[in-house]
Amino acid sequence: MPQAAVWLLRYSVVMCLLLHSLVMMTFCFHHAATSCSKRCYCSETESGGKTMRCSNLQLTEIPEDIPNDTQHVYLDFNLLTAVPTNAFAGLTQLVELDLSHNEISQLEHGAFRGLGTSLQFLDLSSNKLVNFNPVAFEGLKARANLTNNPWQCDCNLQRALPFVTLEPVSLTGIVCHSSDPPDMGVEGLAFILEPGIDLCGVIKRTTDVAMLVVMFGWFTMVISYLVYYVRANQEDARRHLEYLKSLPSRQGKSEESSTISTVV
């Protein structure tokens, strides 16, 4: 066989192997990006994306292998307790996220980071959320269901609500289960619909009273010290005058006059 033919054959074999490897790698990457998360059920949407259903699977953590082209994720009726930072990063096509009927009590900072431009509906109903963390919803403009959570209405909530970018109707789902200070009469009310209630004002008045009490205490201490100082000096002056009087008359008059002038 001519040398050129042998070289051409070897070259063809090498190129075929390289091409085969490239095809396999492309398939693996595509599979990793679009395959369904373990134990979950996936189906194709009409727009070409995915719907991933992981409902009622006793999950304790949010899956980390959600396909990048997923548009609808259902994680309801599980045992999730928290939504960590960047839990859904990379899901740029996500439109709907259902986290209802879990045990979620904590939303970490940036929990929904990266979903601001795509997410349209977020369901966090029937969980155990007590304190509202606005940083968890940073940049999110979706409509959210926040009902059936034991929300605590306090000054932090009152200050945070004006800066939340969620659809305004979403905030009506924050119904007060308790309040701080207590006995404010907000239990069972949607806080956003009660503009006349000022939880921060109560705290401010309490702080002002405490400051007045402290200032009065310091003022009393200063006055007491001044009174003690004056009385102590008067006693010393009296003893000094008595001593001078006991001296010879000529020297006593001179010293007495000097001492009286000094005291006055």
Side-chain angles (χ1 to χ4, degrees), residues 19 31 51 85 89 93 103 105 109 115 129 156 213 217 220 250:
L19 182 61
H31 179 75
T51 295
T85 303
Q93 301 181 41
E103 305 292 323
S105 60
H109 292 190
L115 303 180
L129 294 169
N156 292 329
V213 171
T220 303
R250 191 185 311 173

Side-chain angles (χ1 to χ4, degrees), residues 81-82 102-107 124-134 137 146-158 160-161 173-180 191 199:
T81 58
N102 278 279
E103 305 292 323
I104 298 174
S105 60
Q106 181 181 9
L107 301 175
L124 284 168
S125 63
S126 300
N127 279 285
K128 295 185 177 180
L129 294 169
V130 176
N131 298 311
F132 186 81
N133 182 12
F137 301 92
L146 304 173
T147 60
N148 295 325
N149 282 284
W151 294 109
Q152 182 182 48
C153 294
D154 54 16
C155 185
N156 292 329
L157 172 64
Q158 181 175 322
L161 290 183
I174 302 180
V175 177
C176 303
H177 183 267
S178 61
S179 66
D180 183 22
F191 186 75
L199 297 176

Side-chain angles (χ1 to χ4, degrees), residues 54-59 75-79 99-102:
C54 306
S55 305
N56 201 19
L57 294 178
Q58 306 297 307
L59 298 178
L75 291 164
D76 50 319
F77 291 96
N78 283 289
L79 301 175
L99 295 167
S100 64
H101 296 90
N102 278 279

